[in-house]
Amino acid sequence: MSWSLEQAYAYVNQIKKRAAEDEAFRLLALNDPEMACRLLTGEPLPDGIRMSAQEHGSEGLEIVVHGLQETWPTGELGPDEATLD
């Protein structure tokens, strides 16, 4: 299994939305964003994908998804890390 860029954005948005509404979940997302994602999706992260999170002031969490490789319209591989905030 792998994630597309769209899936990664969707999962990050779900994490951020729930973290904004639920303090316990926010703390989980800060300390173990991979587990927070697993709780929301019901599935482990794909092989090679890792997540990190940090507090981003009044804007909420900044979540970084490491290991994404998306093919751009030119056919070249894009960056292997995407910051999704």
Side-chain angles (χ1 to χ4, degrees):
M1 176 177 88
S2 65
W3 281 356
S4 69
L5 195 55
E6 291 82 16
Q7 286 172 303
Y9 272 107
Y11 294 148
V12 166
N13 286 334
Q14 287 177 14
I15 292 169
K16 290 173 74 171
K17 182 177 186 238
R18 181 153 173 203
E21 300 168 351
D22 180 343
E23 179 66 16
F25 186 82
R26 185 184 73 77
L27 292 173
L28 174 64
L30 277 171
N31 293 308
D32 192 349
E34 295 176 15
M35 179 56 74
C37 188
R38 185 176 184 150
L39 284 174
L40 286 177
T41 66
E43 298 178 6
L45 271 65
D47 288 340
I49 300 291
R50 298 290 170 255
M51 299 177 94
S52 61
Q54 64 183 23
E55 200 68 61
H56 198 256
S58 62
E59 297 175 23
L61 299 179
E62 178 181 17
I63 299 173
V64 179
V65 179
H66 308 270
L68 288 176
Q69 293 214 344
E70 187 72 12
T71 302
W72 298 92
T74 62
E76 298 175 22
L77 285 178
D80 66 356
E81 180 177 302
T83 300
L84 306 174
D85 55 22

